């Protein structure tokens, strides 16, 4: 797990809310405080869908692209939010774009590990925190270290300056 203090907040916010940069990540949850607090649980409500839609292959979590614009509309304006927290989970099908290590990809595809990105804005500072969730004990820290390095490399590709 690493915490990156984002120095270029404007660029990071554009990547998060205006561009498709994280669209293929799942949304775990989001909480935004402006004039009121808005919370979104990323779990898909299967009961809301018609039978035909339910029979399609829908993930149990919504994709970031399904809610990104809703949060952007809520946040945009003259004032910055007092606070926001957005937790995303890496989609296995997209993992190859970020992780090059075959052993780590194998663990991910077997469902033994999940990789997370957490965005937290508070007191005019934006942090990106990496995380992992293991379904079973793995002694080796290599998967977590690989994810951390992948996120740093991705931030560099996006031209987002940060400090650890």
């Amino acid at each position: 797990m690493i915490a990156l203090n984002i120095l270029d907040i404007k660029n990071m916010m554009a990547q998060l809310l205006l561009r498709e940069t994280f669209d293929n990540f799942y949304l775990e949850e989001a909480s935004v405080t402006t004039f009121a607090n808005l919370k979104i649980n990323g779990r898909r409500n299967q009961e809301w869908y018609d039978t035909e839609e339910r029979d399609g292959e829908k993930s149990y979590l919504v994709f970031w692209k399904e809610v990104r614009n809703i949060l952007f509309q809520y946040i945009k304006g003259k004032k910055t939010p007092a606070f926001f927290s957005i937790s995303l989970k890496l989609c296995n099908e997209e993992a190859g774009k970020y992780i090059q290590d075959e052993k780590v990809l194998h663990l991910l595809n077997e469902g033994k590990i999940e990789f997370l990105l957490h965005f937290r804005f508070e007191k005019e500072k934006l942090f990106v925190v990496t995380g992992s969730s293991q379904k079973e004990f793995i002694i080796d820290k290599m998967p977590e270290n690989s994810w951390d390095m992948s996120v740093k490399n991705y931030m560099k590709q996006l031209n987002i300056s940060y400090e650890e």
Side-chain angles (χ1 to χ4, degrees), residues 124-136:
E124 304 300 316
K125 290 191 174 225
L126 178 61
F127 293 92
V128 175
V129 180
T130 63
S132 63
S133 173
Q134 299 175 0
K135 303 296 180 188
E136 56 187 60

Side-chain angles (χ1 to χ4, degrees), residues 75-98:
I75 289 174
K76 78 176 185 177
K78 293 180 183 178
K79 292 183 174 185
T80 59
F83 169 85
F84 75 72
S85 172
I86 299 170
S87 295
L88 302 178
K89 183 174 103 173
L90 181 62
C91 170
N92 290 11
E93 292 76 23
E94 297 293 316
K97 291 182 182 178
Y98 308 95

Side-chain angles (χ1 to χ4, degrees), residues 11-38:
N11 184 16
M12 184 75 250
M13 292 303 294
Q15 296 292 340
L16 185 62
L17 296 172
L18 298 175
R19 298 195 184 109
E20 298 174 357
T21 309
F22 298 98
D23 278 2
N24 291 320
F25 279 70
Y26 293 118
L27 173 67
E28 290 264 323
E29 65 180 10
S31 177
V32 180
T33 303
T34 57
F35 66 94
N37 189 20
L38 172 69

Side-chain angles (χ1 to χ4, degrees), residues 33-162:
T33 303
T34 57
F35 66 94
N37 189 20
L38 172 69
K39 290 188 179 197
I40 299 176
N41 180 330
R43 297 213 185 285
R44 192 176 299 279
N45 178 12
Q46 295 293 344
E47 299 303 315
W48 185 78
Y49 295 97
D50 296 333
T51 305
E52 300 83 42
E53 293 173 309
R54 245 185 274 145
D55 291 341
E57 292 197 20
K58 296 261 188 219
S59 62
Y60 78 98
L61 290 172
V62 298
F63 281 99
W64 174 243
K65 65 184 166 190
E66 295 177 78
V67 296
R68 177 172 46 89
N69 194 46
I70 295 166
L71 285 171
F72 172 70
Q73 294 301 320
Y74 191 74
I75 289 174
K76 78 176 185 177
K78 293 180 183 178
K79 292 183 174 185
T80 59
F83 169 85
F84 75 72
S85 172
I86 299 170
S87 295
L88 302 178
K89 183 174 103 173
L90 181 62
C91 170
N92 290 11
E93 292 76 23
E94 297 293 316
K97 291 182 182 178
Y98 308 95
I99 299 172
Q100 306 305 314
D101 189 293
E102 291 297 321
K103 184 178 176 184
V104 175
L105 285 172
H106 182 71
L107 289 170
L108 189 68
N109 289 327
E110 284 187 336
K112 292 182 178 177
I113 194 165
E114 297 176 335
F115 293 117
L116 310 166
L117 264 184
H118 183 75
F119 298 85
R120 184 178 181 90
F121 180 80
E122 188 172 25
K123 297 179 183 173
E124 304 300 316
K125 290 191 174 225
L126 178 61
F127 293 92
V128 175
V129 180
T130 63
S132 63
S133 173
Q134 299 175 0
K135 303 296 180 188
E136 56 187 60
F137 181 71
I138 302 171
I139 230 170
D140 189 0
K141 291 288 182 193
M142 188 268 301
E144 185 177 331
N145 294 338
S146 178
W147 175 237
D148 293 346
M149 188 57 67
S150 297
V151 170
K152 286 191 225 179
N153 289 337
Y154 195 51
M155 293 298 164
K156 288 176 187 171
Q157 286 176 14
L158 298 171
N159 293 317
I160 295 172
S161 56
Y162 62 86

